[in-house]
Protein backbone atom coordinates (compact mmCIF):
# COMPACT_ATOMS: atom_id res chain seq x y z
CA UNK A 1 0.00 0.00 0.00
CA UNK A 2 1.16 3.50 -0.79
CA UNK A 3 -0.56 6.85 -0.29
CA UNK A 4 -0.24 8.82 -3.50
CA UNK A 5 -1.92 11.95 -2.10
CA UNK A 6 -3.80 13.31 0.91
CA UNK A 7 -5.91 16.37 0.17
CA UNK A 8 -8.00 18.39 2.63
CA UNK A 9 -11.38 19.59 1.39
CA UNK A 10 -14.38 21.41 2.88
CA UNK A 11 -16.39 20.18 5.89
CA UNK A 12 -13.24 18.78 7.54
CA UNK A 13 -12.81 15.97 5.03
CA UNK A 14 -9.72 14.48 3.45
CA UNK A 15 -9.38 12.68 0.13
CA UNK A 16 -6.84 9.87 0.25
CA UNK A 17 -5.58 8.41 -3.03
CA UNK A 18 -4.33 4.94 -2.14
CA UNK A 19 -2.58 2.40 -4.33
CA UNK A 20 -2.75 -1.33 -3.61
CA UNK A 21 0.27 -3.03 -5.19
CA UNK A 22 0.56 -6.36 -7.01
CA UNK A 23 1.85 -8.34 -4.01
CA UNK A 24 -0.91 -7.07 -1.70
CA UNK A 25 -3.59 -7.68 -4.30
CA UNK A 26 -2.31 -11.19 -4.99
CA UNK A 27 -2.55 -12.02 -1.29
CA UNK A 28 -6.13 -10.68 -1.27
CA UNK A 29 -7.02 -12.75 -4.36
CA UNK A 30 -5.75 -15.90 -2.64
CA UNK A 31 -7.90 -15.11 0.41
CA UNK A 32 -10.88 -14.54 -1.87
CA UNK A 33 -10.27 -17.93 -3.53
CA UNK A 34 -10.11 -19.71 -0.15
CA UNK A 35 -13.35 -18.03 0.88
CA UNK A 36 -15.31 -18.60 -2.34
CA UNK A 37 -14.13 -21.96 -3.65
CA UNK A 38 -16.73 -24.06 -1.80
CA UNK A 39 -19.51 -22.13 -3.56
CA UNK A 40 -18.11 -22.67 -7.07
CA UNK A 41 -19.03 -25.87 -8.92
CA UNK A 42 -16.36 -27.31 -11.21
CA UNK A 43 -17.07 -30.57 -13.07
CA UNK A 44 -14.79 -33.40 -11.93
CA UNK A 45 -13.98 -31.84 -8.56
CA UNK A 46 -15.65 -32.14 -5.21
CA UNK A 47 -16.96 -28.82 -3.75
CA UNK A 48 -14.06 -26.69 -2.58
CA UNK A 49 -11.36 -28.89 -4.13
CA UNK A 50 -10.98 -27.25 -7.56
CA UNK A 51 -7.60 -25.49 -7.96
CA UNK A 52 -7.64 -21.73 -8.30
CA UNK A 53 -6.09 -21.88 -11.79
CA UNK A 54 -8.87 -24.19 -13.01
CA UNK A 55 -11.58 -21.85 -11.69
CA UNK A 56 -9.89 -18.78 -13.18
CA UNK A 57 -9.56 -20.65 -16.49
CA UNK A 58 -13.28 -21.42 -16.54
CA UNK A 59 -14.67 -18.11 -15.28
CA UNK A 60 -11.94 -15.64 -16.17
CA UNK A 61 -8.99 -14.19 -14.27
CA UNK A 62 -11.25 -11.52 -12.73
CA UNK A 63 -13.54 -14.02 -10.97
CA UNK A 64 -12.01 -13.24 -7.57
CA UNK A 65 -11.27 -9.55 -8.10
CA UNK A 66 -14.38 -8.06 -6.48
CA UNK A 67 -14.06 -10.11 -3.31
CA UNK A 68 -10.30 -9.49 -3.25
CA UNK A 69 -10.90 -5.74 -3.42
CA UNK A 70 -13.32 -5.99 -0.49
CA UNK A 71 -10.60 -7.79 1.43
CA UNK A 72 -7.75 -5.46 0.44
CA UNK A 73 -9.59 -2.16 0.89
CA UNK A 74 -10.02 -2.07 4.73
CA UNK A 75 -6.40 -3.01 5.41
CA UNK A 76 -5.08 -0.47 2.89
CA UNK A 77 -7.39 2.28 4.15
CA UNK A 78 -6.57 1.73 7.84
CA UNK A 79 -2.85 1.68 7.06
CA UNK A 80 -3.17 4.93 5.10
CA UNK A 81 -5.08 6.63 7.94
CA UNK A 82 -2.42 5.56 10.41
CA UNK A 83 0.42 6.68 8.14
CA UNK A 84 -1.14 10.13 7.66
CA UNK A 85 -1.99 10.37 11.39
CA UNK A 86 -5.62 11.20 10.67
CA UNK A 87 -8.35 11.28 13.35
CA UNK A 88 -11.25 9.90 11.33
CA UNK A 89 -14.76 10.51 12.73
CA UNK A 90 -16.93 8.65 10.22
CA UNK A 91 -17.07 6.12 7.40
CA UNK A 92 -15.37 6.88 4.08
CA UNK A 93 -16.87 6.95 0.62
CA UNK A 94 -14.80 5.00 -1.91
CA UNK A 95 -14.24 5.43 -5.62
CA UNK A 96 -12.08 3.16 -7.81
CA UNK A 97 -9.69 4.92 -10.15
CA UNK A 98 -8.73 3.29 -13.45
CA UNK A 99 -8.63 -0.43 -14.17
CA UNK A 100 -8.29 -3.29 -11.71
CA UNK A 101 -5.64 -5.76 -12.87
CA UNK A 102 -3.37 -8.36 -11.31
CA UNK A 103 -0.92 -5.51 -10.76
CA UNK A 104 -3.37 -4.02 -8.24
CA UNK A 105 -5.70 -1.04 -8.19
CA UNK A 106 -5.99 2.56 -7.00
CA UNK A 107 -8.90 4.06 -5.08
CA UNK A 108 -9.91 7.35 -3.56
CA UNK A 109 -11.34 7.38 -0.04
CA UNK A 110 -13.08 10.54 1.14
CA UNK A 111 -13.32 10.54 4.94
CA UNK A 112 -14.51 13.02 7.59
CA UNK A 113 -11.86 13.89 10.14
CA UNK A 114 -11.80 15.66 13.49
CA UNK A 115 -11.93 19.37 12.65
CA UNK A 116 -9.30 21.94 13.43
CA UNK A 117 -10.70 24.02 16.27
CA UNK A 118 -9.69 27.59 17.04
CA UNK A 119 -10.83 28.86 20.41
CA UNK A 120 -12.43 32.26 20.59
CA UNK A 121 -12.93 34.06 23.88
CA UNK A 122 -13.46 31.62 26.73
CA UNK A 123 -12.26 33.67 29.68
CA UNK A 124 -13.74 36.84 31.06
CA UNK A 125 -17.23 36.08 29.82
CA UNK A 126 -20.47 37.18 31.46
CA UNK A 127 -23.82 35.44 31.86
CA UNK A 128 -26.93 35.94 33.98
CA UNK A 129 -27.10 34.05 37.26
CA UNK A 130 -30.21 33.73 39.35
CA UNK A 131 -30.06 35.00 42.91
CA UNK A 132 -31.21 32.23 45.20
CA UNK A 133 -34.02 33.06 47.59
CA UNK A 134 -35.99 30.70 49.78
CA UNK A 135 -39.21 31.92 51.34
CA UNK A 136 -41.26 30.62 54.23
CA UNK A 137 -43.82 29.47 51.64
CA UNK A 138 -41.15 27.32 49.98
CA UNK A 139 -40.39 25.64 53.29
CA UNK A 140 -44.11 25.14 53.93
CA UNK A 141 -44.48 23.49 50.52
CA UNK A 142 -41.68 21.04 51.36
CA UNK A 143 -43.30 20.42 54.74
CA UNK A 144 -46.56 19.64 52.95
CA UNK A 145 -44.76 16.94 50.98
CA UNK A 146 -43.66 15.41 54.26
CA UNK A 147 -47.14 15.61 55.77
CA UNK A 148 -48.71 14.12 52.63
CA UNK A 149 -46.29 11.23 52.84
CA UNK A 150 -47.20 10.63 56.46
CA UNK A 151 -50.94 11.11 56.04
CA UNK A 152 -53.04 8.01 56.76
CA UNK A 153 -56.42 6.95 55.43
CA UNK A 154 -58.88 5.92 58.14
CA UNK A 155 -62.37 4.49 57.72
CA UNK A 156 -65.30 6.71 58.69
CA UNK A 157 -69.01 6.02 59.19
CA UNK A 158 -70.41 9.04 57.33
CA UNK A 159 -71.24 10.29 53.87
CA UNK A 160 -68.32 10.76 51.49
CA UNK A 161 -67.15 14.24 50.59
CA UNK A 162 -64.54 15.76 48.30
CA UNK A 163 -61.05 14.68 49.38
CA UNK A 164 -62.27 11.38 50.81
CA UNK A 165 -61.30 8.03 49.31
CA UNK A 166 -64.01 5.52 48.49
CA UNK A 167 -63.35 1.81 47.99
CA UNK A 168 -65.72 0.63 45.27
CA UNK A 169 -66.68 -2.07 42.79
CA UNK A 170 -67.89 -0.70 39.47
CA UNK A 171 -69.01 -1.94 36.07
CA UNK A 172 -69.93 0.13 33.03
CA UNK A 173 -72.78 -0.63 30.63
CA UNK A 174 -73.30 0.76 27.13
CA UNK A 175 -76.85 0.31 25.87
CA UNK A 176 -77.39 -2.24 28.63
CA UNK A 177 -74.31 -4.34 27.81
CA UNK A 178 -70.97 -4.37 29.68
CA UNK A 179 -68.12 -2.84 27.69
CA UNK A 180 -64.47 -3.85 27.74
CA UNK A 181 -62.32 -2.11 30.33
CA UNK A 182 -65.28 -0.77 32.28
CA UNK A 183 -65.01 -2.99 35.35
CA UNK A 184 -63.05 -2.78 38.59
CA UNK A 185 -63.14 -4.32 42.06
CA UNK A 186 -62.03 -2.91 45.42
CA UNK A 187 -60.75 0.16 43.66
CA UNK A 188 -59.65 3.10 45.85
CA UNK A 189 -60.76 6.38 44.29
CA UNK A 190 -60.05 9.80 45.76
CA UNK A 191 -63.03 12.06 45.16
CA UNK A 192 -62.02 15.31 43.53
CA UNK A 193 -58.82 13.85 42.05
CA UNK A 194 -60.32 13.98 38.53
CA UNK A 195 -58.73 10.66 37.65
CA UNK A 196 -61.96 9.10 36.36
CA UNK A 197 -64.15 10.19 33.49
CA UNK A 198 -65.87 13.55 34.19
CA UNK A 199 -69.12 13.16 36.13
CA UNK A 200 -68.12 9.87 37.80
CA UNK A 201 -66.53 11.15 40.99
CA UNK A 202 -69.01 13.98 41.48
CA UNK A 203 -71.91 11.53 41.74
CA UNK A 204 -70.20 9.62 44.55
CA UNK A 205 -70.17 12.61 46.89
CA UNK A 206 -72.66 11.76 49.65
CA UNK A 207 -72.49 7.95 49.41
CA UNK A 208 -71.85 5.76 52.47
CA UNK A 209 -70.37 2.30 53.00
CA UNK A 210 -72.82 -0.33 51.75
CA UNK A 211 -74.54 1.98 49.23
CA UNK A 212 -75.20 0.87 45.66
CA UNK A 213 -75.72 3.50 43.01
CA UNK A 214 -76.13 3.84 39.24
CA UNK A 215 -74.07 6.66 37.73
CA UNK A 216 -75.10 8.23 34.43
CA UNK A 217 -71.96 9.34 32.62
CA UNK A 218 -71.28 10.69 29.13
CA UNK A 219 -67.76 10.17 27.85
CA UNK A 220 -65.94 13.21 26.37
CA UNK A 221 -65.82 13.61 22.59
CA UNK A 222 -62.02 13.21 22.66
CA UNK A 223 -62.13 9.93 24.61
CA UNK A 224 -61.33 6.48 23.19
CA UNK A 225 -63.06 6.19 19.81
CA UNK A 226 -65.32 3.30 20.92
CA UNK A 227 -66.74 5.36 23.79
CA UNK A 228 -66.27 8.97 22.65
CA UNK A 229 -69.44 10.95 23.28
CA UNK A 230 -71.36 7.85 24.41
CA UNK A 231 -73.79 7.85 27.36
CA UNK A 232 -73.16 4.92 29.71
CA UNK A 233 -74.29 3.71 33.13
CA UNK A 234 -71.86 2.63 35.83
CA UNK A 235 -73.21 0.36 38.53
CA UNK A 236 -71.24 1.09 41.70
CA UNK A 237 -71.10 -0.62 45.09
CA UNK A 238 -69.40 1.27 47.94
CA UNK A 239 -67.41 -0.86 50.38
CA UNK A 240 -65.74 1.82 52.47
CA UNK A 241 -65.34 5.56 52.94
CA UNK A 242 -61.96 6.82 54.17
CA UNK A 243 -60.74 10.24 55.19
CA UNK A 244 -57.25 11.62 55.42
CA UNK A 245 -55.76 11.80 58.89
CA UNK A 246 -53.20 14.56 58.51
CA UNK A 247 -50.50 14.71 61.21
CA UNK A 248 -50.23 17.93 63.20
CA UNK A 249 -47.22 20.08 62.36
CA UNK A 250 -45.53 20.13 65.74
CA UNK A 251 -42.38 18.95 67.49
CA UNK A 252 -43.71 15.38 67.66
CA UNK A 253 -44.11 15.37 63.88
CA UNK A 254 -40.51 16.57 63.49
CA UNK A 255 -39.29 13.73 65.74
CA UNK A 256 -41.29 11.17 63.72
CA UNK A 257 -40.01 12.19 60.29
CA UNK A 258 -36.47 13.32 61.07
CA UNK A 259 -33.67 13.27 63.63
CA UNK A 260 -34.64 16.75 64.81
CA UNK A 261 -36.36 17.34 68.13
CA UNK A 262 -38.25 20.46 67.15
CA UNK A 263 -40.27 21.69 64.19
CA UNK A 264 -38.13 24.82 64.19
CA UNK A 265 -34.96 22.82 63.57
CA UNK A 266 -36.67 20.75 60.88
CA UNK A 267 -37.78 23.91 59.07
CA UNK A 268 -34.27 25.34 59.25
CA UNK A 269 -32.84 22.14 57.79
CA UNK A 270 -35.39 22.12 54.97
CA UNK A 271 -34.57 25.73 54.16
CA UNK A 272 -30.88 24.83 54.05
CA UNK A 273 -31.56 21.95 51.67
CA UNK A 274 -33.80 23.98 49.37
CA UNK A 275 -31.15 26.70 49.25
CA UNK A 276 -28.45 24.18 48.31
CA UNK A 277 -30.66 22.67 45.59
CA UNK A 278 -31.45 26.05 44.05
CA UNK A 279 -27.84 27.17 44.25
CA UNK A 280 -26.82 24.03 42.36
CA UNK A 281 -29.53 24.67 39.75
CA UNK A 282 -28.42 28.29 39.35
CA UNK A 283 -24.80 27.19 39.08
CA UNK A 284 -25.61 24.67 36.34
CA UNK A 285 -27.63 27.20 34.38
CA UNK A 286 -24.77 29.73 34.71
CA UNK A 287 -22.24 27.17 33.49
CA UNK A 288 -24.44 26.15 30.56
CA UNK A 289 -24.94 29.77 29.48
CA UNK A 290 -21.19 30.40 29.57
CA UNK A 291 -20.30 27.20 27.72
CA UNK A 292 -22.85 28.01 25.03
CA UNK A 293 -20.98 31.28 24.49
CA UNK A 294 -17.67 29.39 24.32
CA UNK A 295 -19.14 26.99 21.76
CA UNK A 296 -20.46 29.91 19.69
CA UNK A 297 -17.03 31.55 19.78
CA UNK A 298 -15.03 28.65 18.33
CA UNK A 299 -14.05 28.44 14.69
CA UNK A 300 -14.46 24.93 13.31
CA UNK A 301 -15.60 23.38 10.04
CA UNK A 302 -17.79 20.69 11.61
CA UNK A 303 -18.14 17.55 9.45
CA UNK A 304 -21.67 16.34 8.76
CA UNK A 305 -20.72 12.89 10.05
CA UNK A 306 -20.25 14.19 13.60
CA UNK A 307 -23.63 15.90 13.56
CA UNK A 308 -25.30 12.80 12.10
CA UNK A 309 -23.73 10.60 14.78
CA UNK A 310 -24.92 12.91 17.57
CA UNK A 311 -28.44 13.07 16.09
CA UNK A 312 -28.56 9.28 16.02
CA UNK A 313 -27.38 9.21 19.62
CA UNK A 314 -30.37 11.38 20.52
CA UNK A 315 -32.60 8.90 18.69
CA UNK A 316 -31.07 5.97 20.57
CA UNK A 317 -31.69 7.79 23.86
CA UNK A 318 -35.31 8.37 22.83
CA UNK A 319 -35.74 4.67 22.04
CA UNK A 320 -34.27 3.81 25.44
CA UNK A 321 -36.73 6.14 27.18
CA UNK A 322 -39.65 4.49 25.38
CA UNK A 323 -38.37 1.05 26.35
CA UNK A 324 -38.13 2.11 30.00
CA UNK A 325 -41.80 3.05 29.81
CA UNK A 326 -42.66 -0.32 28.27
CA UNK A 327 -43.44 1.20 24.87
CA UNK A 328 -42.18 -0.44 21.69
CA UNK A 329 -40.52 2.02 19.33
CA UNK A 330 -42.15 0.62 16.17
CA UNK A 331 -45.60 0.76 17.75
CA UNK A 332 -45.01 4.32 18.94
CA UNK A 333 -43.94 5.45 15.48
CA UNK A 334 -46.96 3.79 13.88
CA UNK A 335 -49.40 5.23 16.43
CA UNK A 336 -48.02 8.78 16.12
CA UNK A 337 -47.45 8.66 12.37
CA UNK A 338 -43.89 9.87 12.87
CA UNK A 339 -41.04 9.18 10.47
CA UNK A 340 -37.55 8.25 11.65
CA UNK A 341 -35.88 10.31 8.94
CA UNK A 342 -37.83 13.34 10.15
CA UNK A 343 -36.79 12.65 13.74
CA UNK A 344 -33.14 12.55 12.68
CA UNK A 345 -33.49 15.74 10.65
CA UNK A 346 -35.18 17.58 13.52
CA UNK A 347 -32.41 16.45 15.87
CA UNK A 348 -29.62 17.88 13.74
CA UNK A 349 -29.86 21.46 15.00
CA UNK A 350 -29.47 20.55 18.70
CA UNK A 351 -26.93 17.91 17.65
CA UNK A 352 -24.76 20.58 15.99
CA UNK A 353 -24.88 22.67 19.18
CA UNK A 354 -23.80 19.69 21.25
CA UNK A 355 -20.98 18.82 18.86
CA UNK A 356 -19.68 22.40 18.98
CA UNK A 357 -19.92 22.23 22.79
CA UNK A 358 -17.85 19.03 22.84
CA UNK A 359 -15.30 20.54 20.46
CA UNK A 360 -15.01 23.64 22.63
CA UNK A 361 -14.54 21.54 25.76
CA UNK A 362 -11.80 19.46 24.13
CA UNK A 363 -10.07 22.60 22.86
CA UNK A 364 -9.99 24.14 26.35
CA UNK A 365 -8.60 20.91 27.82
CA UNK A 366 -5.84 20.97 25.21
CA UNK A 367 -5.13 24.70 25.55
CA UNK A 368 -4.96 24.59 29.35
CA UNK A 369 -3.11 21.24 29.50
CA UNK A 370 -5.83 19.85 31.75
CA UNK A 371 -5.50 16.33 33.10
CA UNK A 372 -6.83 14.20 35.95
CA UNK A 373 -4.55 12.09 38.16
CA UNK A 374 -5.16 8.48 39.15
CA UNK A 375 -5.71 9.71 42.71
CA UNK A 376 -8.43 12.12 41.55
CA UNK A 377 -10.12 9.36 39.55
CA UNK A 378 -10.07 7.02 42.55
CA UNK A 379 -11.48 9.76 44.79
CA UNK A 380 -14.29 10.38 42.29
CA UNK A 381 -15.12 6.67 42.26
CA UNK A 382 -15.32 6.71 46.07
CA UNK A 383 -17.47 9.83 46.01
CA UNK A 384 -19.99 8.14 43.68
CA UNK A 385 -19.97 4.98 45.81
CA UNK A 386 -20.75 7.02 48.92
CA UNK A 387 -23.39 9.08 47.11
CA UNK A 388 -25.35 6.08 45.87
CA UNK A 389 -24.66 3.79 48.82
CA UNK A 390 -22.88 1.27 46.62
CA UNK A 391 -19.76 -0.81 47.01
CA UNK A 392 -16.70 0.79 45.38
CA UNK A 393 -15.93 -2.23 43.21
CA UNK A 394 -19.55 -2.36 42.03
CA UNK A 395 -19.33 1.25 40.83
CA UNK A 396 -16.14 0.41 38.94
CA UNK A 397 -17.98 -2.39 37.11
CA UNK A 398 -20.45 0.12 35.67
CA UNK A 399 -18.01 2.94 34.90
CA UNK A 400 -14.63 2.72 33.22
CA UNK A 401 -11.78 4.77 34.68
CA UNK A 402 -11.36 6.59 31.35
CA UNK A 403 -14.99 7.78 31.53
CA UNK A 404 -14.46 9.18 35.01
CA UNK A 405 -11.20 10.78 33.94
CA UNK A 406 -12.86 12.48 30.97
CA UNK A 407 -15.64 13.72 33.24
CA UNK A 408 -13.13 15.21 35.68
CA UNK A 409 -11.25 16.91 32.85
CA UNK A 410 -14.49 18.40 31.57
CA UNK A 411 -15.33 19.68 35.05
CA UNK A 412 -11.94 21.35 35.24
CA UNK A 413 -12.42 22.92 31.80
CA UNK A 414 -15.78 24.36 32.88
CA UNK A 415 -14.11 25.71 36.02
CA UNK A 416 -11.56 27.55 33.88
CA UNK A 417 -14.44 29.33 32.15
CA UNK A 418 -16.60 30.01 35.21
CA UNK A 419 -13.78 31.11 37.54
CA UNK A 420 -12.91 33.96 35.19
CA UNK A 421 -16.52 34.85 34.36
CA UNK A 422 -18.80 37.54 35.74
CA UNK A 423 -22.28 36.78 37.00
CA UNK A 424 -24.79 39.34 35.77
CA UNK A 425 -28.22 40.02 37.16
CA UNK A 426 -30.98 38.32 35.13
CA UNK A 427 -33.30 40.58 33.19
CA UNK A 428 -36.36 41.38 35.22
CA UNK A 429 -39.55 39.86 33.92
CA UNK A 430 -42.68 42.04 33.79
CA UNK A 431 -44.28 42.00 37.22
CA UNK A 432 -47.60 40.24 37.50
CA UNK A 433 -50.48 41.74 39.44
CA UNK A 434 -50.44 40.19 42.87
CA UNK A 435 -53.35 39.63 45.17
CA UNK A 436 -53.58 41.21 48.59
CA UNK A 437 -53.12 37.77 50.13
CA UNK A 438 -49.91 37.20 48.15
CA UNK A 439 -48.55 40.57 49.24
CA UNK A 440 -49.33 39.79 52.87
CA UNK A 441 -47.57 36.43 52.50
CA UNK A 442 -44.48 38.09 51.03
CA UNK A 443 -44.41 40.65 53.83
CA UNK A 444 -44.61 37.93 56.45
CA UNK A 445 -41.92 35.69 54.94
CA UNK A 446 -38.97 37.35 56.59
CA UNK A 447 -40.60 37.18 60.02
CA UNK A 448 -41.52 33.54 59.52
CA UNK A 449 -37.98 32.42 58.62
CA UNK A 450 -36.21 30.41 61.32
CA UNK A 451 -32.59 30.38 62.48
CA UNK A 452 -30.34 27.66 61.02
CA UNK A 453 -30.37 24.36 62.84
CA UNK A 454 -27.27 22.95 64.48
CA UNK A 455 -25.22 20.47 62.46
CA UNK A 456 -26.40 16.89 62.89
CA UNK A 457 -25.72 13.51 61.36
CA UNK A 458 -28.51 12.00 59.30
CA UNK A 459 -29.04 8.41 58.22
CA UNK A 460 -29.10 8.10 54.45
CA UNK A 461 -32.55 6.57 54.34
CA UNK A 462 -33.98 9.29 56.56
CA UNK A 463 -32.27 11.97 54.53
CA UNK A 464 -33.79 10.63 51.32
CA UNK A 465 -37.23 10.70 52.94
CA UNK A 466 -36.92 14.27 54.13
CA UNK A 467 -35.54 15.48 50.86
CA UNK A 468 -38.51 13.89 49.13
CA UNK A 469 -36.28 13.11 46.21
CA UNK A 470 -34.79 10.08 44.54
CA UNK A 471 -31.09 10.07 43.82
CA UNK A 472 -30.15 9.55 40.20
CA UNK A 473 -26.79 8.57 38.66
CA UNK A 474 -24.75 11.44 37.33
CA UNK A 475 -24.84 11.99 33.58
CA UNK A 476 -21.92 12.81 31.43
CA UNK A 477 -23.61 15.68 29.62
CA UNK A 478 -24.84 18.86 31.33
CA UNK A 479 -27.81 18.93 28.93
CA UNK A 480 -31.11 17.25 29.35
CA UNK A 481 -38.96 9.64 30.49
CA UNK A 482 -42.01 10.11 31.54
CA UNK A 483 -43.27 7.65 34.06
CA UNK A 484 -45.89 5.42 32.60
CA UNK A 485 -49.05 5.54 34.62
CA UNK A 486 -51.23 2.47 34.99
CA UNK A 487 -54.42 2.98 33.04
CA UNK A 488 -57.73 2.34 34.73
CA UNK A 489 -60.67 1.39 32.52
CA UNK A 490 -62.91 4.25 33.55
CA UNK A 491 -60.25 6.93 33.77
CA UNK A 492 -60.35 9.97 31.58
CA UNK A 493 -57.54 10.84 29.24
Amino acid sequence: MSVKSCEKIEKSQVVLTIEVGAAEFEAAIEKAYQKMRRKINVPGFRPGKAPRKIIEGMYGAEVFFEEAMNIAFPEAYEAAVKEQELQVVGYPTVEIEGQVTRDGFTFKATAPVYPEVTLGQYKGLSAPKEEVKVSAADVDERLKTLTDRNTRLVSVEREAKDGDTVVIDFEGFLEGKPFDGGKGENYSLELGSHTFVPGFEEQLVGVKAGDEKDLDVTFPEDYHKDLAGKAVVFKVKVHEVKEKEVPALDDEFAKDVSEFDTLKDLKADLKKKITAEREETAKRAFEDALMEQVADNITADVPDAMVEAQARQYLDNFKMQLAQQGIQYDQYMKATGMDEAKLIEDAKEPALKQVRMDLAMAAIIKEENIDATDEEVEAEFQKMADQYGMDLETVKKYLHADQVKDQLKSQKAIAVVTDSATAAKPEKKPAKKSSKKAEETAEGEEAAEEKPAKKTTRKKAEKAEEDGEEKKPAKKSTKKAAKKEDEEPAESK
Side-chain angles (χ1 to χ4, degrees):
M1 183 280 304
S2 64
V3 179
K4 299 176 71 175
S5 67
C6 179
E7 177 189 0
K8 292 182 179 180
I9 60 174
E10 72 282 350
K11 284 288 183 179
S12 296
Q13 298 180 98
V14 297
V15 180
L16 290 165
T17 303
I18 304 168
E19 184 179 69
V20 177
E24 295 164 307
F25 194 44
E26 171 57 30
I29 293 174
E30 180 61 26
K31 289 179 181 178
Y33 159 68
Q34 297 295 337
K35 181 179 178 180
M36 297 173 62
R37 62 181 182 175
R38 292 186 179 278
K39 299 179 182 179
I40 300 176
N41 292 321
V42 177
F45 293 92
R46 286 179 295 163
K49 296 299 182 179
R52 176 180 152 188
K53 294 292 185 183
I54 298 294
I55 296 174
E56 289 177 335
M58 288 184 62
Y59 296 99
E62 301 83 9
V63 64
F64 299 115
F65 279 12
E66 183 175 350
E67 184 62 31
M69 290 167 63
N70 291 335
I71 292 171
F73 161 71
E75 295 178 0
Y77 172 71
E78 289 173 14
V81 167
K82 185 176 181 180
E83 178 185 302
Q84 297 298 312
E85 298 181 345
L86 300 176
Q87 191 174 353
V88 176
V89 295
Y91 296 106
T93 57
V94 179
E95 178 185 354
I96 302 296
E97 281 201 331
Q99 297 295 315
V100 180
T101 68
R102 287 192 177 278
D103 293 330
F105 63 97
T106 299
F107 67 93
K108 281 187 176 181
T110 303
V113 294
Y114 195 89
E116 294 180 4
V117 180
T118 303
L119 276 170
Q121 182 182 359
Y122 67 96
K123 292 181 179 179
L125 299 172
S126 178
K129 187 175 183 180
E130 291 288 343
E131 182 181 353
V132 173
K133 294 181 180 179
V134 179
S135 68
D138 295 326
V139 175
D140 288 344
E141 186 177 345
R142 189 63 62 90
L143 271 175
K144 185 179 183 302
T145 301
L146 284 175
T147 56
D148 288 346
R149 188 181 302 143
N150 288 275
T151 294
R152 297 189 308 143
L153 289 175
V154 294
S155 293
V156 291
E157 297 297 328
R158 59 165 173 78
E159 294 181 349
K161 59 184 180 181
D162 261 353
D164 287 342
T165 294
V166 291
V167 181
I168 58 174
D169 292 343
F170 63 87
E171 185 170 16
F173 293 85
L174 176 63
E175 297 178 350
K177 296 180 180 179
F179 56 84
D180 290 341
K183 186 177 182 179
E185 294 181 351
N186 291 314
Y187 185 83
S188 294
L189 173 64
E190 181 181 343
L191 303 184
S193 63
H194 306 296
T195 53
F196 269 34
V197 64
F200 189 100
E201 296 172 27
E202 291 85 347
Q203 296 181 62
L204 290 176
V205 173
V207 299
K208 295 184 297 184
D211 285 355
E212 295 186 14
K213 188 174 183 179
D214 289 351
L215 311 182
D216 294 318
V217 173
T218 300
F219 280 95
E221 294 294 339
D222 60 352
Y223 200 73
H224 188 279
K225 62 180 181 179
D226 293 337
L227 294 170
K230 300 290 179 63
V232 302
V233 175
F234 281 98
K235 293 185 177 297
V236 177
K237 182 176 182 179
V238 182
H239 294 297
E240 197 174 2
V241 177
K242 297 180 179 181
E243 70 176 4
K244 293 178 180 178
E245 188 175 78
V246 182
L249 279 176
D250 53 21
D251 290 345
E252 288 303 314
F253 174 78
K255 291 176 184 178
D256 289 340
V257 301
S258 71
E259 80 277 19
F260 298 105
D261 292 330
T262 66
L263 182 62
K264 178 181 177 180
D265 286 346
L266 174 58
K267 283 185 174 182
D269 184 67
L270 290 176
K271 182 175 182 179
K272 182 180 178 182
K273 284 183 171 61
I274 298 169
T275 301
E277 292 165 7
R278 293 184 179 179
E279 285 176 346
E280 180 64 20
T281 299
K283 176 188 172 187
R284 293 292 183 190
F286 181 58
E287 290 174 350
D288 287 348
L290 291 171
M291 290 306 297
E292 285 178 7
Q293 291 182 52
V294 175
D296 289 340
N297 291 342
I298 67 169
T299 301
D301 194 6
V302 181
D304 294 337
M306 293 185 76
V307 178
E308 179 82 14
Q310 183 62 54
R312 291 198 171 276
Q313 181 61 57
Y314 286 156
L315 179 61
D316 289 343
N317 293 343
F318 177 61
K319 291 179 179 179
M320 189 182 303
Q321 289 177 353
L322 289 177
Q324 289 171 349
Q325 298 174 57
I327 303 172
Q328 292 186 12
Y329 173 71
D330 291 342
Q331 291 180 350
Y332 174 85
M333 297 295 282
K334 184 177 180 180
T336 59
M338 298 178 73
D339 177 68
E340 183 166 292
K342 182 69 165 55
L343 284 179
I344 292 290
E345 192 61 34
D346 290 345
K348 285 186 178 179
E349 184 176 346
L352 175 59
K353 290 182 179 180
Q354 184 61 51
V355 169
R356 289 184 65 87
M357 184 79 73
D358 294 341
L359 292 173
M361 191 83 76
I364 293 173
I365 291 171
K366 181 179 179 181
E367 180 70 19
E368 298 287 333
N369 295 313
I370 293 172
D371 203 356
T373 65
D374 292 341
E375 291 76 16
E376 289 173 323
V377 171
E378 189 67 20
E380 186 67 14
F381 270 126
Q382 188 62 58
K383 178 181 175 182
M384 287 186 282
D386 294 341
Q387 183 178 0
Y388 303 122
M390 297 173 65
D391 179 73
L392 179 60
E393 294 307 314
T394 302
V395 175
K396 289 183 177 180
K397 288 180 181 179
Y398 290 100
L399 280 176
H400 194 274
D402 287 342
Q403 291 176 288
V404 176
K405 188 171 186 176
D406 287 343
Q407 186 169 311
L408 288 171
K409 287 161 68 174
S410 294
Q411 291 172 359
K412 291 182 179 183
I414 292 173
V416 168
V417 176
T418 56
D419 290 349
S420 65
T422 303
K425 288 186 177 181
E427 292 183 8
K428 289 185 178 181
K429 298 178 181 179
K432 294 183 179 179
K433 292 182 179 180
S434 60
S435 65
K436 182 178 180 181
K437 183 178 179 181
E439 291 171 359
E440 290 172 351
T441 301
E443 289 172 0
E445 284 175 356
E446 186 174 347
E449 292 175 357
E450 304 291 347
K451 295 180 180 179
K454 60 182 180 180
K455 293 182 179 179
T456 57
T457 303
R458 182 188 306 276
K459 293 180 181 179
K460 291 179 182 177
E462 294 174 336
K463 181 177 180 182
E465 282 190 359
E466 291 175 14
D467 287 348
E469 295 177 355
E470 178 182 340
K471 292 182 178 179
K472 298 179 181 180
K475 296 181 180 179
K476 180 179 178 182
S477 173
T478 58
K479 303 294 179 186
K480 346 237 165 329
K483 182 180 179 183
K484 182 185 179 187
E485 298 182 349
D486 294 333
E487 296 180 357
E488 287 299 330
E491 291 180 1
S492 62
K493 292 177 73 176

